[in-house]
Amino acid sequence: MISESIIHIVSFDIPSPPDYGGVIDVYYKIKYLYQKRVKIILHCFQYNNRTISEELERYCYKIYYYKRATSFSRIFHFLPYTVISRKSDLLLKHLLKDHYPILFETLHCTYYLSHPDLKNRIKILRLSNIEHHYYYHLFLSEKNVFKKFYFLTESIKLYFYEKKIFPHAHQILPVTSKDLEYTTQYYSNIRAHWIPSFHPFNDLCIWKGKGNYLLYHGNLSIPENYKTAEFLIDRIAPNISIPVIIAGKNPPAFLLKKSKKYHHVQIVANPDTEEMKQLIQNAHILWLYTHQATGLKLKLLYSLFSGRFIICNNKMIAGTSLQPNLSLYIKNTPSEIIESIHSLQEREFDDSAYLQRKNLLEKFDNEHNTQQLLKIIVSS
């Protein structure tokens, strides 16, 4: 590696604290690049009451913050709202101060990726999802009529925007092999490379032995997640005796009401980082289920590195190359899930299960993936 590398990173949000899916990948990517002596010029869009981060100053050479333009009228723009709301003339001005490579974190940040003044710059696009797929599944899961309309129109806009913007990237970096296959199939002239999400784990931190509850965790304000929690309460909980804990941000009122039907179901609302860590490590079974096979679920990584037995469905591990073993069970139907819960309830997480979990996670090594990212930056 050259003695000094400098890169611009354009982030869709302030990546500190790393307390939800997308920003976890950005935060730990920054941290590992810093450890490789890369100078990072970070550009963040600020919204949702996230504040300027002193911690990021430890890892970044420079940081610029931009207010996200979230006015209602932008929903009616022909460009996706997630993109047009992150348009900033000041961002372009800062990017044009030098000739360093630019890493755009997700499609949301790419308003300037096709700008003619950046034509000769190395531009790398990180994909956390195929966004029009993701928004279409949000449309299918959403209950609110207005939000359903928004998710559907956003999905259509993202589909056409993707076709316009992808060809301007020198490299595309999906987080799953499934998204890599999509990219290479539809954009065969663009170089693409699979780099899984960055995360906080250097090694396993799983407690052997037994826990005494089943855990489902996720951001419960997102339709996909509260739909899954509802499925757990309605279809699984009535048929098992093990206590069930559902933990996550901002659970909707209907979910809180529904959980009270069963004495062994508890919802933990808005746990902080440490409380969530303890919930994951103390659980006997982590149940991970998704209705949409989009992106790499960061809750899957957290569970794999920190939790005992995992039961998940095929869609949860799509594009990860993970295979079932003594520590990871792939079950799709309610009857299969219930049967696995019964069989695992009295089993201990032992040395064999621990070793098999460790072998599963070699491809998610942050050090290796940092080296891969650096090679891509240099060779683009």
Side-chain angles (χ1 to χ4, degrees):
M1 182 187 161
I2 57 177
S3 60
E4 179 179 83
S5 295
I6 302 177
I7 185 171
H8 290 273
I9 295 180
V10 184
S11 177
F12 56 91
D13 199 351
I14 298 173
S16 179
D19 56 359
Y20 74 90
V23 297
I24 292 170
D25 179 42
V26 180
Y27 177 88
Y28 288 100
K29 189 183 298 113
I30 288 170
K31 187 174 179 179
Y32 275 85
L33 287 172
Y34 166 79
Q35 291 173 3
K36 297 298 180 184
R37 299 185 180 179
V38 177
K39 286 189 174 181
I40 297 160
I41 304 171
L42 178 63
H43 306 265
C44 308
F45 285 92
Q46 187 175 11
Y47 64 107
N48 281 348
N49 300 316
R50 289 175 78 87
T51 57
I52 290 172
S53 169
E54 292 183 6
E55 184 177 7
L56 287 172
E57 293 177 7
R58 293 171 51 196
Y59 305 124
C60 297
Y61 174 55
K62 292 179 183 177
I63 306 178
Y64 296 107
Y65 295 92
Y66 313 91
K67 286 286 185 184
R68 186 180 173 194
T70 55
S71 63
F72 182 76
S73 62
R74 295 198 172 216
I75 291 176
F76 303 102
H77 198 278
F78 71 93
L79 288 177
Y81 175 76
T82 55
V83 176
I84 193 62
S85 61
R86 291 178 173 87
K87 174 183 179 294
S88 168
D89 294 339
L90 191 56
L91 168 61
L92 180 62
K93 181 180 177 181
H94 289 150
L95 292 175
L96 291 172
K97 286 182 177 179
D98 53 58
H99 297 282
Y100 303 127
I102 307 167
L103 173 59
F104 294 89
E105 292 286 353
T106 78
L107 201 63
H108 304 333
C109 302
T110 56
Y111 183 86
Y112 294 108
L113 195 151
S114 61
H115 197 281
D117 289 347
L118 296 175
K119 182 179 179 180
N120 297 318
R121 296 286 285 279
I122 293 172
K123 293 168 290 187
I124 300 168
L125 172 57
R126 174 60 150 174
L127 292 184
S128 59
N129 290 292
I130 303 303
E131 293 293 347
H132 63 89
H133 290 168
Y134 177 71
Y135 274 81
Y136 182 72
H137 283 287
L138 290 178
F139 156 72
L140 294 176
S141 300
E142 182 56 62
K143 296 175 181 290
N144 180 280
V145 174
F146 173 76
K147 289 182 179 178
K148 278 185 83 72
F149 176 76
Y150 164 71
F151 288 138
L152 179 59
T153 55
E154 192 75 351
S155 174
I156 295 167
K157 290 177 186 179
L158 284 162
Y159 172 78
F160 289 103
Y161 179 73
E162 172 195 288
K163 293 187 173 302
K164 170 192 169 186
I165 209 72
F166 271 25
H168 293 274
H170 292 85
Q171 286 267 10
I172 294 181
L173 308 180
V175 298
T176 69
S177 61
K178 181 174 178 286
D179 290 351
L180 176 65
E181 289 172 8
Y182 171 90
T183 305
T184 53
Q185 179 181 353
Y186 292 102
Y187 304 94
S188 57
N189 59 327
I190 303 172
R191 285 184 290 174
H193 192 91
W194 172 30
I195 296 183
S197 296
F198 289 79
H199 55 80
F201 302 103
N202 294 317
D203 204 352
L204 299 188
C205 48
I206 300 172
W207 296 345
K208 296 175 187 175
K210 291 173 60 180
N212 62 2
Y213 59 86
L214 177 145
L215 176 69
Y216 171 72
H217 61 100
N219 184 344
L220 298 173
S221 67
I222 295 175
E224 161 67 13
N225 291 338
Y226 66 60
K227 182 179 177 182
T228 298
E230 188 176 22
F231 174 81
L232 172 59
I233 294 171
D234 289 343
R235 305 290 301 276
I236 309 300
N239 301 291
I240 58 177
S241 59
I242 188 171
V244 173
I245 294 178
I246 298 168
K249 287 184 178 181
N250 304 324
F254 84 87
L255 200 62
L256 293 167
K257 182 179 179 181
K258 191 177 281 281
S259 70
K260 292 176 182 177
K261 291 169 56 179
Y262 303 102
H263 70 278
H264 65 305
V265 176
Q266 174 190 358
I267 292 184
V268 178
N270 302 306
D272 61 27
T273 303
E274 184 57 32
E275 185 179 4
M276 182 62 85
K277 177 183 175 183
Q278 293 297 320
L279 285 168
I280 292 171
Q281 287 186 308
N282 283 310
H284 187 62
I285 299 169
L286 292 109
W287 181 67
L288 302 173
Y289 189 95
T290 183
H291 295 87
Q292 57 189 65
T294 55
L296 174 61
K297 308 295 190 288
L298 270 297
K299 68 179 128 187
L300 173 62
L301 281 184
Y302 269 68
S303 300
L304 287 166
F305 278 92
S306 304
R308 293 185 179 101
F309 296 108
I310 295 173
I311 301 174
C312 65
N313 64 335
N314 283 327
K315 290 180 180 178
M316 177 59 68
I317 60 167
T320 65
S321 301
L322 291 169
Q323 298 295 323
N325 62 21
L326 290 175
S327 75
L328 175 68
Y329 296 80
I330 314 303
K331 306 295 176 182
N332 295 294
T333 67
S335 59
E336 290 174 347
I337 295 163
I338 292 162
E339 183 182 352
S340 287
I341 292 169
H342 289 319
S343 68
L344 290 172
Q345 198 163 339
E346 300 303 322
R347 193 181 302 177
E348 292 202 354
F349 196 89
D350 57 17
D351 289 338
S352 296
Y354 185 93
L355 181 61
Q356 289 201 16
R357 177 70 59 77
K358 192 175 183 69
N359 292 338
L360 278 179
L361 297 175
E362 292 177 355
K363 63 179 67 64
F364 299 105
D365 180 71
N366 285 320
E367 180 70 24
H368 171 76
N369 289 329
T370 304
Q371 295 289 1
Q372 294 293 105
L373 177 59
L374 289 171
K375 288 178 183 177
I376 288 165
I377 293 169
V378 170
S379 65
S380 293

